[in-house]
Amino acid sequence: MPAVRPGPTAARHVWGPVYVNRIAVRAAIHVAAVFALYLSAAMLIPAAVDLYFGHEDWRVFAFSALFMGGLAMAVALATQGRAPPVTTRFAFLLVNLLWVTMAIAGAVPLAASSIGISIADAIFESVSAITTTGSTVLVGLDTMPPGLLLWRSILQWFGGLGVIALGLFVLPFLNVGGVSYFKIESSDIEDRPFERFSTFAMSFLAIYAGLTLACAISYAMAGMTGFDALNHSLTTLATGGFSTHDASLGFYAERPAVLWVGTLFMFIGGLPFSILILFLVRGRLDALGDPQMRVFAGYCIVFVVGVAIYLRVNADMPFLDAFTHSAFNFVSIITTTGYASADYLQWGPFAVACIFVATFLGGCSGSTAGGIKAYRFLIVFELMSNGLRRLVYP
C-alpha cells in the first residue's frame, strides 16, 4: 500500500512549534519594518535643517530617508500576515529587533555624511545615542553640520523615550496589546494610571514631548541659541548627554541659569513617568509621595550639599558657584546624563570619591535615567531591615 502523505493540517500539527515561531519572526520583522518607516520620515527633519543652513549634507539625509523608507516599505509588504501569538518569547524578540533596527537605521546617515567616519564608528555613535549612553567618537562638534548634530539628538530623544513606546503605534496593525512589551522594555514597576494602554501610551508621549518643549524654551530664555536649546532639550530629558559643543555644557559655564535649567530637567528625567502621569493628568498629589522618589531626591541632596560645602571650604569657591556646579554635575552623574560644566576630577579626593559612588546610583524605575535605580536600593534596605528585625525578634 502506498504511503499516505499528511495534509496541511497534519503538517501544522506535527510542526506546530516551528510554524508558530515562523509567524512570530515574520510578525516581528513586519513591526520593525513599519517602525523603520517612522525613522526614515524623521531623517527629513535634519535634511530640512541642513537645507536651511545651506549645508550639502541635506542630500545625505534625504537619500538616506528615501533608501531606508523604500527598503522598509518593501520588507513590510513582504511580511504582512496573521497576528502573532501573544507570548513572552515574541515580546523579547520584538523589543530586541526594534533596538537593532533603530541602531542600524540611525547609523546610515552618519556613515554617509561628510564627516567621513567609518561604519563601525557610525554604528557606535548610533548605539550610544539610542541607549542614551552619551559616549561619542566625534570631535569638533562646534563646527559639525547642524543636521548631523540634530540627528544625534533626535536618536537620543527616541532612545530616552524607549523604542517600544514608538512601536506601540505599530502594534495595533497586528491586533496585539502593548502592555507586556512595555513591561519588558521599560523598568517601570508602577500600576498603569489608565485602564486602556493606548491612553497611557499617549499620555506618556504627550508629557515627554511637553517637558522637552518646556526645557527648550527654558534653555532659550536662559541664554542658549535656539539651535542649541533644541538639541540640548532633546538630550536633557532623555538623560543622554549629547551636546553640540566639545566642552559639553561647560560652554555655558558662565551662565548659571543654563546650568540650573539643565539640573531641573535632568532631575525630572530621573523621575518615574507613571508618577508624572498620575500627577499631571490625574492631578493626584499623593503620587508625589512615592518612596523611590524620596530616596532619589535624598541622595541627590546629600551629595550636592556635601560637595558644595567641601568646594567652599577646600577650594575657596563662592558658595553659590559651588552649589550651582555641584548640583548640575552630580544630578548629571546620578541620572547618567553625562553633561559636565567643569573638570570635576580636579575638585579634590573627597569630591572624586563622591563622584565614584554617585555613578552607580541612577534615577527612579520607569524613568529615562540609567544606573541601579532608587527602587532597588529601597528593596535592599527593606530586606536588610526585615532581616535585622527577625534577628532581634526571632
Side-chain angles (χ1 to χ4, degrees):
M1 179 180 294
V4 179
R5 299 181 64 183
T9 304
R12 288 186 184 184
H13 177 72
V14 174
W15 301 102
V18 176
Y19 180 74
V20 170
N21 288 340
R22 288 180 60 186
I23 293 177
V25 172
R26 182 171 182 155
I29 294 174
H30 177 71
V31 175
V34 178
F35 180 63
L37 285 174
Y38 291 121
L39 294 178
S40 62
M43 292 177 189
L44 297 176
I45 300 175
V49 170
D50 271 339
L51 184 61
Y52 175 79
F53 284 102
H55 200 281
E56 293 297 321
D57 267 12
W58 74 267
R59 294 187 175 90
V60 171
F61 283 100
F63 175 78
S64 299
L66 292 175
F67 172 74
M68 288 300 303
L71 180 61
M73 179 66 74
V75 174
L77 293 175
T79 53
Q80 282 183 321
R82 66 177 62 188
V86 183
T87 62
T88 303
R89 177 180 296 181
F90 176 71
F92 275 107
L93 173 64
L94 177 60
V95 169
N96 284 278
L97 189 58
L98 287 176
W99 280 109
V100 172
T101 300
M102 190 172 184
I104 295 174
V108 171
L110 295 175
S113 67
S114 61
I115 59 176
I117 61 175
S118 65
I119 294 177
D121 285 345
I123 293 178
F124 177 91
E125 196 75 11
S126 179
V127 172
S128 176
I130 66 172
T131 57
T132 67
T133 302
S135 298
T136 181
V137 295
L138 304 181
V139 292
L141 297 174
D142 301 75
T143 57
M144 278 193 177
L148 187 141
L149 294 174
L150 182 59
W151 180 241
R152 294 165 73 242
S153 300
I154 290 174
L155 287 177
Q156 201 157 72
W157 190 79
F158 283 165
L161 180 66
V163 292
I164 194 61
L166 299 174
L168 291 174
F169 291 111
V170 183
L171 293 177
F173 293 120
L174 301 174
N175 295 320
V176 176
V179 179
S180 57
Y181 309 104
F182 184 82
K183 287 291 186 182
I184 289 175
E185 197 280 334
S186 173
S187 60
D188 202 351
I189 45 80
E190 303 291 339
D191 293 331
R192 284 181 291 132
F194 301 102
E195 289 299 323
R196 292 180 58 84
F197 190 77
S198 59
T199 307
F200 167 73
M202 292 305 298
S203 300
F204 181 87
L205 291 170
I207 290 176
Y208 189 64
L211 288 172
T212 303
L213 178 60
C215 183
I217 295 173
S218 300
Y219 271 137
M221 293 177 63
M224 272 191 179
T225 64
F227 183 73
D228 276 5
L230 174 61
N231 278 273
H232 287 93
S233 66
L234 293 172
T235 58
T236 298
L237 257 295
T239 59
F242 272 173
S243 178
T244 56
H245 303 285
D246 286 334
S248 187
L249 282 194
F251 185 83
Y252 292 98
E254 301 303 319
R255 296 180 180 268
V258 170
L259 301 183
W260 278 112
V261 169
T263 302
L264 172 63
F265 283 96
M266 283 188 293
F267 183 84
I268 292 174
L271 300 178
F273 273 81
S274 293
I275 298 300
L276 294 178
I277 292 173
L278 284 172
F279 174 65
L280 296 174
V281 179
R282 287 290 183 87
R284 287 181 49 183
L285 292 175
D286 62 303
L288 299 181
D290 186 277
Q292 66 167 333
M293 291 175 60
R294 293 198 298 268
V295 173
F296 172 54
Y299 54 61
C300 282
I301 293 172
V302 168
F303 280 109
V304 168
V305 174
V307 173
I309 295 174
Y310 174 78
L311 290 176
R312 175 67 186 91
V313 174
N314 188 65
D316 198 26
M317 186 184 297
F319 183 76
L320 184 58
D321 291 344
F323 188 69
T324 298
H325 286 283
S326 177
F328 178 82
N329 287 283
F330 269 94
V331 172
S332 175
I333 292 167
I334 290 172
T335 59
T336 67
T337 303
Y339 285 147
S341 65
D343 185 3
Y344 43 70
L345 295 180
Q346 304 299 319
W347 285 355
F350 174 76
V352 171
C354 291
I355 288 165
F356 178 77
V357 175
T359 303
F360 297 94
L361 299 179
C364 299
S365 296
S367 69
T368 61
I372 296 176
K373 303 291 178 65
Y375 190 76
R376 294 188 176 96
F377 289 114
L378 190 63
I379 292 175
V380 170
F381 177 77
E382 291 294 336
L383 289 174
M384 292 177 62
S385 297
N386 289 336
L388 290 173
R389 195 175 297 113
R390 288 176 182 175
L391 285 175
V392 177
Y393 303 105

